Amino acid sequence: QMQLTQSGAEVKENGSSLKISCRASDYIFTYTYLHWVRQVPGQVLEWMGWITPYNGNLRYSQTFQDRLTITRSSSLTFAYMELSGLRPEDTGIYYCVRSSLSGSQFYFDSWGQGTRVTVS
Amino acid sequence: QSALTQPASMSGSPGQSITISCSGSSDDIGNDDSLSWYQRYPDKGPTLLIFQVTNRPSHISTRFSASKSGNTASLTISGLQLQDEAEYFCASHTKRGSWVFGGGTKLTVL
């Protein structure tokens, strides 16, 4: 089964930028969607955006579109999430998530382990 | 986009059944059949339990089942086991093309 492995915990300063990587093992996520989802303490999970690795198509949540950049490596085994203008409210756990298609419906079938981010 | 509504916590005894609800709107749960359920243990990434409202991946126990009526979905866990103590949350695609999640339900197996 495909595994998504994320980069390690980060401690960032207010106003700085964050870049998290997500590696797909045993599978190149060419024909899937790769999403980023975060959870701030005490809050609901928030969908941030997705990329289609095979052609680089993107969609960002309006909440993050001004400061979020999602990219992928040329080898199509890594995806990256970069968030700029960090503030303490961005402290939380960030997940990369693969979605798959069943009929006409997508669902999140594989999650990374999460990357803990602290902004102070 | 508002979050989906779940009870914050539930509890049950081993062998019992419990049902967790997930309420949304016609913009999300009621819009299509994308509703899915996930299980998460502390400090672990979530795992998929149910997709497309009622479908269970082949490796997931048949003790997990789900349904939907209108803008509300439900996850039922039958024959509770100690290992079922975890957080459960729902997710739905929305009419606007984004995704929305439930607040999560912490299940305690007493």
Side-chain angles (χ1 to χ4, degrees):
Chain A
Q1 184 174 341
M2 177 185 170
Q3 238 182 333
L4 296 173
T5 304
Q6 299 179 224
S7 49
E10 300 261 13
V11 179
K12 309 297 288 186
E13 290 190 353
N14 196 11
S16 66
S17 294
L18 165 74
K19 188 170 185 176
I20 301 173
S21 67
C22 173
R23 180 176 61 87
S25 64
D26 304 324
Y27 185 89
I28 297 176
F29 40 49
T30 310
Y31 296 106
T32 60
Y33 288 70
L34 197 290
H35 304 250
W36 289 91
V37 173
R38 80 169 189 183
Q39 187 161 34
V40 172
Q43 303 294 318
V44 180
L45 285 156
E46 288 180 279
W47 174 78
M48 301 177 73
W50 55 248
I51 186 168
T52 51
Y54 78 96
N55 63 8
N57 281 354
L58 294 162
R59 181 158 192 160
Y60 295 150
S61 163
Q62 283 189 326
T63 303
F64 299 100
Q65 64 182 16
D66 291 340
R67 56 193 190 107
L68 174 65
T69 304
I70 299 176
T71 56
R72 88 285 197 209
S73 67
S74 55
S75 63
L76 302 182
T77 53
F78 279 92
Y80 303 94
M81 186 281 295
E82 188 164 8
L83 191 64
S84 62
L86 290 173
R87 30 206 194 233
E89 308 89 88
D90 294 317
T91 293
I93 301 176
Y94 291 74
Y95 295 99
C96 64
V97 194
R98 187 185 78 164
S99 64
S100 291
L101 186 64
S102 173
S104 61
Q105 306 298 335
F106 283 95
Y107 59 97
F108 300 124
D109 67 339
S110 187
W111 295 65
Q113 82 276 21
T115 296
R116 191 173 295 271
V117 174
T118 303
V119 182
S120 60
Chain B
Q1 183 73 42
S2 299
L4 306 177
T5 302
Q6 297 181 233
S9 63
M10 298 186 73
S11 63
S13 299
Q16 285 185 334
S17 293
I18 62 105
T19 297
I20 300 171
S21 62
C22 170
S23 296
S25 71
S26 57
D27 287 342
D28 37 67
I29 294 178
N31 182 58
D32 61 22
D33 286 335
S34 64
L35 198 284
S36 51
W37 288 93
Y38 303 86
Q39 178 189 60
R40 180 170 61 176
Y41 292 106
D43 296 324
K44 300 284 187 186
T47 56
L48 174 69
L49 291 176
I50 299 286
F51 65 96
Q52 208 173 2
V53 182
T54 59
N55 294 323
R56 193 178 49 246
S58 58
H59 63 281
I60 297 298
S61 170
T62 56
R63 298 186 299 105
F64 294 91
S65 62
S67 63
K68 186 184 89 164
S69 177
N71 299 333
T72 299
S74 299
L75 172 72
T76 297
I77 310 173
S78 57
L80 273 178
Q81 300 178 1
L82 293 177
Q83 69 205 46
D84 297 331
E85 185 162 298
E87 182 186 26
Y88 296 86
F89 64 88
C90 52
S92 175
H93 195 236
T94 76
K95 191 181 288 187
R96 292 191 202 91
S98 62
W99 288 84
V100 67
F101 295 89
T105 299
K106 283 191 170 53
L107 174 62
T108 302
V109 181
L110 304 167

